[in-house]
Amino acid sequence: MKNMILHIALTTLLASMTACSDEMDPVLTLKDWDGTATYFQSTDEHGFSMYYKPQVGFIGDPMPFYDPVAKDFKVMYLQDYRPNPEATYHPIFGVATKDGATYESLGELIPCGARDEQDAAIGTGGTIYNPADKLYYTFYTGNKFKPSSDQNAQVVMVATSPDFKTWTKNRTFYLKGDTYGYDKNDFRDPFLFQTEDGVYHMLIATRKNGKGHIAEFTSTDLKEWESAGTFMTMMWDRFYECPDVFKMGDWWYLVFSEYSEGNKIHYRRSKNLYGPWEAPFDDAFDGRAYYAGRTAFDGERRVLFGWVPTRIDNDDKNAYLWGGTFVPHEVFQKEDGTLGVKPVDQMMEAFDGWKDLFNPCMKTIDTKEETLLCEDTGSIAAFKTTVKFEEGTKEFSIRFYKDEET
């Protein structure tokens, strides 16, 4: 394992700030991953370190689904080879996991079509299981290579499987946006869910008259679909990608990704499936560049699977590239109905050798103050803390860095 000089520091740039514990016991703990690397196992030849990445290539747009037959999470994703072929790229690969920490590679599941076919390049989709015919249905985006003016750049297509291993494309099913008054070039990212009345719902990110819409289609058998109109009109001319809807307690939640605002995963909530939707004050999961995440529920917990991109030449000063690494978060509901995320338990439990750090108390007025907590953590480490703020605190950050100059 390659060692890295990594530092962890608390930084303040505030008008008034106190970050102190009322107790004498340390509240900051850190543990290195030395001796625990065998916990995260992959069937890929070279495996991965902590967050899943295939041996060859990178991950884009996770499509998680809880498999009620196998009792595990199946996470499809767009395989990015970098460089990709000119016309046929992003086939659907998959992994299986029970805990969001250990993964089994399923390899390629749905290949790209031929250069002249509608799904020459594949885009994001969603999976659902139909117990009536015992088939898995994956609806996905088919991207046409260099479409002519009378062709659709994006349509929704479907493949089915009896075992989640062998998939058959339905070459007669093409759901086209312009048939229903939507855009024929932006019509993507289908998401599937079933309501208590047994009706299947499909949400699709699209445009209508130049404005972003989430279109809704309904079905009773996953074969014949009817338009149910616009599920939600996107606000401020923005475009919500990879929609996801679920209910937790008394609230419905709509999750989406927005590249025009910091490449973040946001959510809205409502007491009704069809709104009105409200935006909480803190409406984002994680930070900038955690993108295209969707959730799956195993009956006990809901896990959000998103991806974090790499950068050009693996240099933090360079721009992001499309594709990267899985990062799963467990979603939890707070007392006020807003949502939060945390690392999945099994990932944190894999670390050993926790050690206590000192308990700092930081005070400053109109100045910047920094306290170094730990040096030379090794290449992979876990860190957890509780921070208490005094009223009037404006900014606070935790820095993880290798080189203070950069």
Side-chain angles (χ1 to χ4, degrees):
M1 180 179 293
K2 181 181 178 181
N3 289 323
M4 180 186 300
I5 300 175
L6 182 68
H7 308 291
I8 303 175
L10 301 179
T11 304
T12 65
L13 181 59
L14 316 170
S16 174
M17 188 273 186
T18 303
C20 308
S21 171
D22 294 333
E23 302 176 2
M24 297 301 294
D25 294 334
V27 295
L28 301 172
T29 55
L30 172 120
K31 56 180 176 179
D32 199 348
W33 207 26
D34 290 341
T36 66
T38 55
Y39 181 83
F40 295 97
Q41 292 290 338
S42 167
T43 57
D44 288 328
E45 181 180 351
H46 297 296
F48 57 96
S49 57
M50 182 173 183
Y51 297 113
Y52 182 84
K53 188 193 85 66
Q55 174 193 341
V56 177
F58 300 86
I59 286 170
D61 294 10
M63 299 165 257
F65 157 73
Y66 181 71
D67 187 341
V69 178
K71 308 296 184 185
D72 60 8
F73 293 107
K74 298 293 198 310
V75 189
M76 290 179 160
Y77 63 89
L78 302 181
Q79 170 75 16
D80 188 62
Y81 282 110
R82 203 185 294 172
N84 295 297
E86 179 190 22
T88 55
Y89 54 89
H90 291 165
I92 293 179
F93 277 53
V95 295
T97 178
K98 290 183 179 295
D99 53 20
T102 57
Y103 295 85
E104 175 190 359
S105 175
L106 303 177
E108 184 180 71
L109 299 176
I110 302 177
C112 295
R115 185 185 183 92
D116 60 346
E117 291 186 296
Q118 179 62 57
D119 59 348
I122 291 180
T124 310
T127 301
I128 198 164
Y129 180 73
N130 185 359
D133 58 13
K134 295 182 172 54
L135 288 176
Y136 299 92
Y137 288 73
T138 292
F139 293 83
Y140 63 94
T141 307
N143 293 303
K144 185 75 173 178
F145 177 62
K146 294 184 178 180
S148 61
S149 59
D150 61 342
Q151 293 177 318
N152 293 64
Q154 295 183 329
V155 306
V156 172
M157 302 174 66
V158 66
T160 58
S161 173
D163 56 9
F164 216 90
K165 297 177 182 178
T166 303
W167 291 83
T168 302
K169 295 181 180 181
N170 183 339
R171 287 303 189 186
T172 65
F173 182 92
Y174 298 94
L175 189 61
K176 301 180 179 181
D178 53 344
T179 303
Y180 305 94
Y182 299 110
D183 196 279
K184 66 179 182 180
N185 296 320
D186 284 321
F187 194 74
R188 59 181 180 269
D189 306 344
F191 171 75
L192 286 297
F193 67 101
Q194 187 178 27
T195 45
E196 293 180 352
D197 57 5
V199 175
Y200 294 102
H201 301 254
M202 184 192 307
L203 302 184
I204 299 173
T206 184
R207 298 184 194 274
K208 190 172 186 178
N209 299 323
K211 185 174 180 61
H213 283 241
I214 296 179
E216 181 183 16
F217 293 81
T218 58
S219 174
T220 57
D221 60 5
L222 295 173
K223 298 177 178 66
E224 301 294 329
W225 292 87
E226 295 182 354
S227 173
T230 295
F231 178 82
M232 179 187 186
T233 302
M234 302 178 193
M235 303 296 291
W236 304 300
D237 296 323
R238 292 173 178 169
F239 196 80
Y240 302 166
E241 294 191 301
C242 304
D244 175 2
V245 168
F246 61 87
K247 190 176 184 182
M248 185 180 291
D250 296 330
W251 290 93
W252 284 94
Y253 297 93
L254 169 67
V255 177
F256 60 90
S257 292
E258 188 178 3
Y259 54 78
S260 60
E261 189 183 358
N263 294 333
K264 289 183 179 181
I265 303 173
H266 298 270
Y267 79 93
R268 302 289 183 262
R269 66 174 185 169
S270 174
K271 287 296 184 71
N272 186 287
L273 175 59
Y274 294 99
W277 297 94
E278 62 180 59
F281 175 75
D282 181 8
D283 72 333
F285 297 118
D286 209 313
R288 182 170 180 264
Y290 181 60
Y291 200 71
R294 282 180 167 173
T295 70
F297 182 61
D298 66 359
E300 296 182 358
R301 62 179 177 175
R302 183 167 294 276
V303 179
L304 172 69
F305 293 88
W307 60 271
V308 174
T310 57
R311 292 180 184 266
I312 296 174
D313 297 328
N314 291 319
D315 190 327
D316 284 341
K317 298 187 293 295
N318 292 337
Y320 291 119
L321 291 166
W322 194 94
T325 304
F326 269 150
V327 176
H329 290 317
E330 182 176 341
V331 180
F332 63 91
Q333 188 182 53
K334 303 175 186 178
E335 292 184 2
D336 62 359
T338 59
L339 298 178
V341 292
K342 64 178 183 177
V344 294
D345 290 341
Q346 286 83 351
M347 188 170 289
M348 296 300 290
E349 291 168 359
F351 290 87
D352 59 12
W354 288 94
K355 65 178 182 180
D356 292 330
L357 306 178
F358 68 98
N359 188 3
C361 179
M362 302 171 65
K363 296 182 179 181
T364 183
I365 298 177
D366 294 329
T367 59
K368 176 182 176 180
E369 179 178 330
E370 180 171 293
T371 298
L372 184 64
L373 300 177
C374 185
E375 294 183 278
D376 304 339
T377 64
S379 58
I380 300 175
F383 170 74
K384 59 183 178 180
T385 184
T386 299
V387 179
K388 297 182 180 180
F389 301 98
E390 188 175 87
E391 185 177 354
T393 299
K394 291 185 177 180
E395 295 181 22
F396 170 78
S397 66
I398 300 176
R399 279 207 302 153
F400 298 84
Y401 62 92
K402 180 179 179 181
D403 185 345
E404 189 170 10
E405 298 300 320
T406 60

